[in-house]
């Protein structure tokens, strides 16, 4: 079976309007939501249409998000920034005996180099006594990104805060003249105290004050779709809280490793940090840097 790659520009977004309601009076009427934009590159997302009978999907050693939009079924695969371009396999399971693999291509993408000066050099070159804390926080966050909670998932997001969005996702960073990990999220510049909302329903799986990320909240939206909010001045949720789309979770700040007040927003799918811009609609009110 050949791969069916679905390019989507939120054309599936539709509200539960009157005409549609009349058409589905006899069935449970659930609103249809959009898919993320397909961009099968390192740091992007592959959206692959699959047979409706598929019960689970795997990419490498990770389970993959399956969703239904307008009676079509899709696997949505996160592609880590470290993914080499080439051909990859999505493994589908239908029942105990029936399996299928679908091949898909990851295309190359080159990200720019970004040089930043961090005023607090300890956040670039931590002291020896910082290392235990850094390791502990890293393993806590790694575990949060590995959650896979069954159930329906909404894969188009509200923008978590108002402000100027940076397109620096994936940029190869040089901090205080030293190479560091590529930028794994979207930065939204906004004054300290600006409200941050949950972009979709989820469960709070981590809240803390971390060495690099400052005050941080992690939300689990289900099926391996996880989002993280960093550098907050204040958090307004606690571990285990359930939030709905639009609920406040904290305020923009400049805690942790920063050059100024902003929200760092990460989106993770099957434990791959991907470009959050693929999950939101472009808002002409908010210019890209
Ligand atoms: Zn950032």
């Amino acid at each position: 079976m050949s791969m069916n790659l679905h390019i989507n520009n939120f054309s599936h977004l539709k509200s539960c309007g009157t005409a549609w309601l009349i058409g589905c009076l006899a069935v449970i009427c659930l609103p249809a939501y959009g898919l993320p934009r397909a961009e099968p590159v390192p740091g992007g997302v592959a959206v692959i249409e699959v047979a409706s009978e598929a019960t689970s999907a795997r990419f490498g050693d990770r389970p993959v998000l399956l969703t239904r939009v307008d009676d079509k079924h899709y696997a949505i695969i996160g592609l880590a920034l470290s993914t080499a371009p080439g051909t990859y396999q999505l493994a589908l399971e239908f029942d105990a005996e029936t399996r299928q693999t679908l091949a898909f291509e990851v295309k190359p993408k080159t990200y720019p180099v970004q040089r930043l000066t961090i005023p607090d050099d300890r956040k670039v070159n931590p002291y020896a006594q910082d290392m235990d804390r850094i390791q502990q926080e890293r393993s806590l966050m790694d575990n949060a990104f590995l959650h896979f909670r069954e159930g329906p998932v909404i894969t188009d997001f509200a923008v978590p805060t108002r402000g100027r969005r940076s397109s620096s996702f994936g940029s190869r960073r040089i901090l205080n003249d030293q190479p560091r990990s590529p930028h794994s999220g979207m930065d939204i510049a906004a004054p300290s105290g600006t409200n941050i909302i949950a972009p979709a329903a989820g469960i709070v799986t981590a809240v803390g004050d971390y060495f690099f990320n400052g005050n941080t909240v992690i939300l689990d939206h289900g099926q391996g779709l996880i989002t993280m909010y960093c550098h907050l001045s204040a958090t307004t949720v606690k571990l285990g809280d359930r939030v709905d789309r639009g609920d406040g979770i904290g305020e923009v700040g400049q805690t942790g490793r920063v050059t100024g007040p902003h929200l760092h927003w990460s989106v993770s799918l099957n434990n791959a940090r991907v470009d959050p811009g693929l999950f939101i609609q472009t808002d002409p009110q908010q210019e890209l840097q």
Side-chain angles (χ1 to χ4, degrees):
M1 183 173 166
S2 68
M3 177 195 69
N4 185 348
L5 199 67
H6 186 86
I7 308 292
N8 185 281
N9 283 314
F10 294 91
S11 56
H12 288 89
L13 266 181
K14 78 181 180 189
S15 60
C16 203
T18 312
W20 189 48
L21 270 173
I22 291 165
C24 58
L25 277 177
V27 297
I28 298 168
C29 188
L30 292 171
Y33 292 95
L35 295 165
R37 280 194 301 285
E39 195 182 338
V41 299
V45 169
V47 179
I48 299 177
E49 190 175 345
V50 299
S52 60
E53 296 82 8
T55 54
S56 68
R58 296 188 81 81
F59 177 57
D61 64 348
R62 299 301 310 158
V64 162
L65 189 154
L66 290 174
T67 192
R68 194 185 84 177
V69 173
D70 288 349
D71 287 329
K72 289 186 176 174
H73 295 250
Y74 301 92
I76 304 180
I77 307 165
L79 303 166
L81 279 163
S82 57
T83 309
T87 305
Y88 289 86
Q89 308 289 331
L90 172 70
L92 290 170
E93 194 172 290
F94 294 84
D95 55 43
E97 283 93 46
T98 318
R99 290 182 168 78
Q100 179 190 33
T101 55
L102 293 178
F104 66 98
E105 291 293 318
V106 175
K107 295 170 191 150
K109 178 166 182 174
T110 307
Y111 292 97
V113 173
Q114 188 183 33
R115 291 178 177 272
L116 292 173
T117 302
I118 307 293
D120 181 2
D121 192 66
R122 187 174 175 179
K123 299 292 185 195
V124 180
N125 296 296
Y127 300 166
Q129 66 262 37
D130 298 328
M131 296 316 289
D132 277 355
R133 176 183 169 192
I134 290 168
Q135 281 303 333
Q136 210 172 12
E137 291 168 1
R138 187 165 294 155
S139 87
L140 189 146
M141 287 184 280
D142 286 350
N143 284 332
F145 285 121
L146 289 171
H147 283 192
F148 194 90
R149 191 165 51 84
E150 300 288 347
V153 178
I154 290 166
T155 57
D156 69 303
F157 285 155
V159 181
T161 197
R162 291 194 63 79
R164 197 180 56 202
R165 291 181 218 151
S166 136
S167 56
S168 66
F169 174 85
S171 62
R172 292 168 291 153
R173 284 199 150 169
I174 300 180
L175 307 182
N176 298 1
D177 291 328
Q178 293 167 65
R180 289 292 181 268
S181 303
H183 189 222
S184 58
M186 172 188 277
D187 289 340
I188 305 178
S192 287
T194 307
N195 196 33
I196 300 167
I197 59 162
I203 296 174
V204 177
T205 51
V207 188
D209 175 12
Y210 303 147
F211 185 83
F212 292 118
N213 291 339
N215 290 319
T216 296
V217 173
I218 299 182
L219 299 179
D220 175 358
H221 304 283
Q223 291 197 51
L225 180 60
I226 314 286
T227 57
M228 179 167 76
Y229 307 81
C230 303
H231 312 309
L232 279 52
S233 59
T235 57
T236 53
V237 287
K238 56 184 193 308
L239 197 63
D241 279 356
R242 283 178 181 272
V243 292
D244 280 327
R245 181 185 174 106
D247 285 352
I249 58 171
E251 293 172 2
V252 171
Q254 50 182 333
T255 55
R257 187 171 67 188
V258 295
T259 56
H262 72 282
L263 169 66
H264 171 102
W265 179 32
S266 287
V267 175
S268 183
L269 257 179
N270 50 270
N271 197 31
R273 255 53 93 209
V274 295
D275 184 357
L278 300 175
F279 291 76
I280 54 177
Q281 295 179 75
T282 305
D283 179 354
Q285 299 282 307
Q286 290 171 308
E287 68 184 64
L288 283 170
Q289 273 181 342

